[in-house]
Amino acid sequence: MQDAETVSKDFIRDIIDDDLRTNKYQGRVHTRFPPEPNGYLHIGHAKSICLNFGIAQDYKGLCNLRFDDTNPAKEEEEYVQSIKDNVKWLGFDWEDRLFFASDYFQQMYEYAVQLIKAEKAYVDDQTADKIAETRGNLTTPGTNSLYRDRTVQENLDLFEGMKAGVFADGQKVLRAKIDMSHPNLNMRDPIMYRILHATHHNTGDEWCIYPMYDWAHGLEDSIERITHSICTLEFENHRPLYDWFLDALGVYHPQQIEFARLNLTFTVMSKRLLLQLVDEGLVAGWDDPRLPTISGMRRRGYSPSSIRTFCKRIGVAKFNSMVDFEFLEYCVREDLNKTAPRFMGVLRPLKVVLENYPEGRTEELDAVNNPEDPSMGSRKIPFSKVLYIEQDDFMENPPKDFYRLAPGREVRLRYAYFIKCTNVVKKDGKVVELHCTYDPATKGGYAPDGRKVKSTIHWVSADQAVTAEVRLYDRLFTIKDPAGEKGRDFKQFLNPTSLEVLSDCKVEPAVQALKSSDRLQFERLGYFCVDPETTPQHLVFNRTVELRDSWVKKQKASQKT
RNA sequence: AGCCCCGUAGUGCAGCGGUUAGCACAAGAGACUCUGGAUCUCUAGACACCAGUUCGAAUCUGGUCGGGGCUGCCA
């Protein structure tokens, strides 16, 4: 499906329009998505992916996938693979433009030599502590390093030594010579290279000096002839540095543009915090369906197009915002409503015996696969004397606005017959079985006498029912902004009931034809998908999202008053 | 505190000197319905504040207030 819809342009596209008008980049539009492979991508990254690849599509330009792998201490091959998978799954194609910052290490090194020769960079022997100390702070300027005025030759020799591995980690750094009293801290002689005797996922042990983000990123963009380098707001203060390096080198100079990152209610959106949840076993892994990771959402049952639509609709701006989780849910429901085949399944079964239905008889009834899309056809569902219905669909003493099944009440079984409850079987005060009568004249769900029922409920024939496991997910946290509580550990806000496993669910036999990751709707319950752990002997479904439920909403509203 | 960025319904965005300030979600009411789903209709709800420029300001300017970012050899 397409996500085309009329959305007005954002400020970034306005800038691009201007640049096109003034022919700033000879009509080119070239963006990039530059993740660091130090974790799994999340919905916030999806926003950036949709922005960067989306702009390239809109303007018939190009978008590169580039791994910003300048820190071997944190980066791993597993992450590279997952990121590639995620971008592809979201529906974007980098074609032959898969790049790594580490591919440019040699060229960056040569650029650094160029800066040294121009007396714009120097090797500093100070310790990390000393460098931090002499940087000054928000209100007081920093002070110059006493190694700041080394000769070009001395710097060249030392830098070569750094590269050759003659120094230990932290013993020396290469710094840009800018201004230790600059009001922007980032401009106080920022570090360009640090020594790290670590094995890099891509370059192995070839290098023991690694470039810092500020030095590397602009070069990567410049080398790839990026036109618009789009990043998040926290890099705003780094833009002067980005510009300074490229100007000092006199190389091709893209434009950095910053936008606000996505925040979602009831979750956390930081790789560091997500890593904690995974490492401490608080969730089942990076693809735990409760996580806002792309892999987690995929396993939860979100479709790529629903995520793309969401990213498009939230827009892009320059102020920090917090998007309601419900909005994401709205986007999946909207998509799945049109695309997911319907089935019947009972989560918490309540046995129903039809007293007047012949023993041993079975019928095949017609059911529509998707009322929103007739082209999806129909299927047969078995019907017999003993059925299961949802426990929630029966109340012994119902309030008057409950219009499902109750003693003496008649309801419709979807695609089947009208039934009326005649008797309630209880055990230890708990309802364990219902006796009902069915009206043979209402086959297919219509009464020839035109009488109406208040509600239609779902059911499964007991003999043919397949037992399945269903995993119900709820929000991972109990408060809107768990990471925003100052001085408190976000983990104390974890929702203890974010996962509920039901192991005795009864589903109609047709679901056995579904494959891993297939998405579906269990009528009246919500959208689900087949978990990868499913086997023919043991079906496992994940609930993606519930259907909107005005009955539940009503109940909650009345509870409050 | 210094520097930078930003303030439009509950939420997310649009509005680019003249609009009854628009859209979507959420909320409320109703219609329809073999999913209390979907769909349709309607309702309520915002320019942070104060000056100035202008015939005219949500839009331009200055100030006030409020929010965010920055003091890693992370990105």
Side-chain angles (χ1 to χ4, degrees), chain A residues 465-480:
Chain A
V466 178
T467 300
E469 174 178 326
V470 174
R471 298 173 185 170
L472 303 179
Y473 300 100
D474 195 0
R475 37 187 60 142
L476 226 204
F477 293 93
T478 53
I479 62 171
K480 281 196 170 184

Side-chain angles (χ1 to χ4, degrees), chain A residues 12-29 227-228 255 257:
Chain A
I12 297 177
R13 281 169 233 251
D14 285 344
I15 292 172
I16 294 175
D17 286 343
D18 278 344
D19 292 345
L20 253 19
R21 206 170 298 122
T22 59
N23 207 32
K24 188 171 171 187
Y25 302 102
Q26 291 77 48
R28 297 166 48 238
V29 174
T227 56
H228 303 273
Q255 177 181 4
I257 303 170

Side-chain angles (χ1 to χ4, degrees), chain A residues 66-114:
Chain A
R66 180 174 72 222
F67 287 93
D68 207 359
D69 55 350
T70 55
N71 184 3
K74 293 186 177 176
E75 295 152 8
E76 293 172 24
E77 192 57 34
E78 177 199 349
Y79 298 133
V80 171
Q81 196 49 51
S82 73
I83 290 169
K84 286 160 70 177
D85 287 349
N86 286 165
V87 173
K88 223 179 280 175
W89 178 78
L90 269 177
F92 297 103
D93 186 3
W94 55 85
E95 297 169 318
D96 58 349
R97 295 177 312 283
L98 171 65
F99 302 118
F100 291 84
S102 52
D103 293 338
Y104 313 136
F105 281 172
Q106 180 59 32
Q107 194 166 354
M108 289 175 184
Y109 177 80
E110 286 161 20
Y111 277 135
V113 169
Q114 184 186 328

